[in-house]
Every structure is written in structure tokens, then in C-alpha cells.
Amino acid sequence: MDPRSEVLLRQAELFNGPLLFAGLPADDLLSHFPNAHGWSWHAGEYALLEARFSKRNHFGTQPSERDAHAAVVFLPKSRELTEYLLTVLAARLAGRELFLVGEKRAGIERAAKQLASFGQARKLDSARHCQLWQVRVEHTPVTPDLHSLARRYELNLPDGPLTVLSLPGVFSHGRLDVGSALLLEHLNDLPSGHILDFGCGAGVLGAALKRRYPDNQITLLDVDAFAVESSRLTLAANDLQANVISGDGIDAAPNGLSAILSNPPFHQGVHTHYQATEHLLRQARQHLTSKGELRLVANNFLKYPPLIEQHLGPCQTLADAKGFCIYRAIKD
Ligand SMILES: C[S@@+](CC[C@H](N)C(=O)[O-])C[C@H]1O[C@@H](n2cnc3c(N)ncnc32)[C@H](O)[C@@H]1O
């Protein structure tokens, strides 16, 4: 059981009525609270939760319309996402209770200060390296317009300016990542057909691909609903059409791809994860056509080339700069 869920179980008598858990971990928590439902924006956690607690979960960037007398926010990594989640929920909870739970190392103490704009916040519990905070919503905010929270920046690409929009919590919010910038310089000579931007974030690579290869079908995939929504905004802002899908890992991608392009994930929350990327390297072959290409950027300390060679074919380093490498492998 996630330690944050354990802290909630210590205070179970507080959570009797219809309740919303926002950003809940994919553990057993819902079995202890029959009146609770979950709101998830991580496609993998949502799928796990739905498999165990059918029709008790909602996936997306907005909470469902379901009635809740109280809500618990599981502290996400991003301060701006925390602000959005707390505000959108407080707007529905006038005179009711809003809770925030999180690990100390994730910054719960500091994040709890964000509750002060709704009323007098109190710390209810501290255990398992986590804290649980509560506020009764006395100052009800206006429901935030998510799209107005997008940050916008312009890139001067060789084929013209590209506008990028990113929502709170999305990777490299409001600026171009150094690795992605390097990959943008190495988009030439991709095989034509259907190209996937795996882990699309705000959609910068997928949008640049569509601009560069307009006759190709482009699919953008991300596990995070805020990333998927950002990618849609980025494509629309540049008048580009592509498929944007939410899903957990390469298994959610279509087959018959001529190329997979990625700045793949290697951090998640406060923990470091490589599983999604290692799984991508192992499974890329199943999704690529013959002579299909995998091209990715990675920190040069990450040991991906042996895995790529083991599962796909000879790995070529197209560039090595600013701590990042661009790798390319063609399905043999
Ligand atoms: C390093 S970021 C790159 C984002 C974007 N392509 C860019 O260049 O700015 C990696 C992205 O992978 C996504 N991601 C993490 N785990 C994933 C998974 N299991 N399946 C699909 N996408 C995932 C993250 O949400 C994040 O947007």
C-alpha cells in the first residue's frame, strides 16, 4: 500500500460520505472507502484502478461531475498542477473539506501553504514520511479555465516558427528541453509512412514532424492526460492535424510504424523510473515495419545502446552534444 494511502486509513473516520481521490495511487485504497471514486490523469494507473474497481474511476484533465462531499488531492510533483487541482476542486466544495496528502520529500509542507487561499489549513496527521492536511473551503474560487493556464512559447525552426503550448505538470513546461532541442536538429531522413512520437509531452516533436513530413501519418502518445491535451493545443495552434492518444507505454501504440521518435521518460514523480523506456526498446520491433527506424535522444549516461542492439539492431550515434546523444537503429 502506498504510504499516503496508509495515512488516510489512519484517519478513516474522516472520510465517510461521497468522496473524491484525485491523483490516487493504483493500490487498494478504494476497497476501504466504498463511497469514494478516483480521478486519474495517468493512463496506466487509471487502467489498473478500473480493472480492480470498475466504474469507480475517471480519466482526464477535469474532475467528473459525480457528487463529492469532500476531496483528497494526492500531491503531484508540479506546483502549478497542485494549484490547478486544488482550485478546480475547491470551486466545487464551498463550505466542505478539501484534503492534501503527500510525502515530505515531495514537498508536502510547502505545498500545504497553497491551501491558505481557501481557508484556515490544519495539519491532521504526520506518519510514514507523509503529512495529511485539511481546509474547510470558506473562500470559494472560480472554476479555473484549464486552457488559460497553458504556457506558450515560439520556436524558430528552419521551416518556420512553431508555437508550443504546455499545461501545468507537463514535462518542460513553458520551455524547450535541451534533449528535445537536439532531437529537433536531427529529424532528417526519417522513413516515410506512419511515425510515432512516443511520450509526446506538449507535442513539440510530433508537431515538428507533421510540419516536416506533411504527407505522413503522425501519432502522438503520452500516458498523461495533461500532456495529451497540451499536444492537441500545440497541433491546433499550428494548424496541424495528427492523432493524439493516451496510453501507458509502447503497448498502447499502433503497429505498422515506419519510425518511432522519442525523448523517452526517465523520471517520474519523486522516484526515478526507466521501465517505460526499457520496455519501449524491447518492444519497438513489434511496432515497426521492416526497415522501420527507432530514433531517440537520451542523456549520455543512460546505457541504452546495448539494449537497442539486443532488441532491434545496430545502434548508430547520430550526435553527442550537451550531455545528450541521438541514437538511431533500423529494424533488421
Ligand atoms: C522526457 S518527456 C518528453 C516530452 C516531449 N516529447 C518533449 O520532447 O518535450 C517524456 C514524456 O513521456 C511521458 N511518459 C512517461 N511514462 C510514459 C508511459 N509509460 N507511456 C507513455 N508516455 C509516458 C511523460 O508523461 C512525458 O511527457
Side-chain angles (χ1 to χ4, degrees):
M1 184 88 124
D2 187 283
R4 297 165 300 170
S5 299
E6 288 179 357
V7 172
L8 296 182
L9 285 175
R10 283 162 55 98
Q11 304 293 333
E13 71 286 354
L14 295 173
F15 306 113
N16 289 323
L19 179 67
L20 170 69
F21 291 129
L24 69 171
D27 64 9
D28 207 27
L29 185 66
L30 284 177
S31 71
H32 297 269
F33 298 99
N35 291 323
H37 60 278
W39 169 26
S40 193
W41 43 93
H42 184 286
E45 286 166 6
Y46 168 75
L48 288 171
L49 286 162
E50 264 302 281
R52 289 177 71 185
F53 306 103
S54 175
K55 301 202 171 65
R56 289 182 61 194
N57 297 280
H58 166 74
F59 175 77
T61 57
Q62 314 269 347
S64 73
E65 290 304 321
R66 237 148 136 162
D67 188 37
H69 290 183
V72 182
V73 172
F74 287 75
L75 180 65
K77 197 172 153 201
S78 145
R79 188 184 194 286
E80 281 162 301
L81 181 58
T82 308
E83 179 86 35
Y84 167 70
L85 299 172
L86 292 174
T87 312
V88 81
L89 292 171
R92 295 176 176 205
L93 291 170
R96 295 178 174 173
E97 286 177 327
L98 177 60
F99 299 85
L100 181 65
V101 65
E103 291 187 78
K104 287 183 196 160
R105 64 178 173 173
I108 181 69
E109 192 106 42
R110 191 159 29 91
K113 297 195 170 67
Q114 294 175 253
L115 294 172
S117 49
F118 312 120
Q120 182 83 42
R122 311 191 283 145
K123 182 163 47 172
L124 297 182
D125 201 357
S126 180
R128 314 273 194 276
H129 307 289
C130 298
Q131 292 179 358
L132 173 64
W133 288 76
Q134 172 261 1
V135 68
R136 183 175 295 278
V137 179
E138 309 288 358
H139 314 295
T140 316
V142 176
T143 302
D145 167 22
L146 180 60
H147 288 183
S148 75
L149 302 178
R151 283 203 211 155
R152 171 188 287 260
Y153 64 90
E154 295 263 315
L155 290 178
N156 284 318
L157 299 184
D159 49 7
L162 189 80
T163 302
V164 182
L165 286 137
S166 67
L167 291 167
V170 172
F171 173 79
S172 200
H173 185 34
R175 63 180 177 85
L176 182 65
D177 172 66
V178 182
S180 307
L182 190 64
L183 192 48
L184 282 175
E185 291 170 18
H186 293 87
L187 294 185
N188 45 328
D189 301 327
L190 281 166
S192 57
H194 186 178
I195 308 179
L196 173 71
D197 172 2
F198 176 78
C200 57
V204 55
L205 300 174
L209 277 176
K210 187 64 192 178
R211 171 79 74 65
R212 181 83 165 256
Y213 298 91
D215 300 331
N216 290 244
Q217 185 182 352
I218 309 289
T219 295
L220 296 83
L221 165 70
D222 205 284
V223 76
D224 182 308
F226 290 92
V228 165
E229 185 73 4
S230 304
S231 288
R232 295 201 171 110
L233 292 176
T234 294
L235 288 163
N238 296 284
D239 217 4
L240 296 167
Q241 267 91 42
N243 311 326
V244 189
I245 54 178
S246 57
D248 186 8
I250 189 65
D251 298 345
N255 291 334
L257 298 168
S258 56
I260 301 172
L261 185 84
S262 186
N263 178 356
F266 72 96
H267 280 299
Q268 205 175 48
V270 288
H271 308 286
T272 306
H273 282 283
Y274 304 93
Q275 288 104 313
T277 303
E278 291 181 1
H279 191 63
L280 165 71
L281 304 185
R282 273 189 224 103
Q283 294 300 316
R285 162 172 288 281
Q286 317 301 326
H287 294 267
L288 289 168
T289 52
S290 154
K291 305 282 174 228
E293 177 175 336
L294 173 69
R295 192 176 297 186
L296 41 93
V297 61
N299 288 77
N300 55 14
F301 61 81
L302 296 171
K303 305 281 177 255
Y304 291 149
L307 261 184
I308 294 173
E309 302 221 316
Q310 186 185 346
H311 296 285
L312 194 59
C315 178
Q316 196 186 342
T317 303
L318 292 183
D320 184 348
K322 298 177 189 153
F324 290 89
C325 286
I326 307 287
Y327 299 119
R328 161 211 252 176
I330 298 191
K331 179 172 165 181
D332 51 22

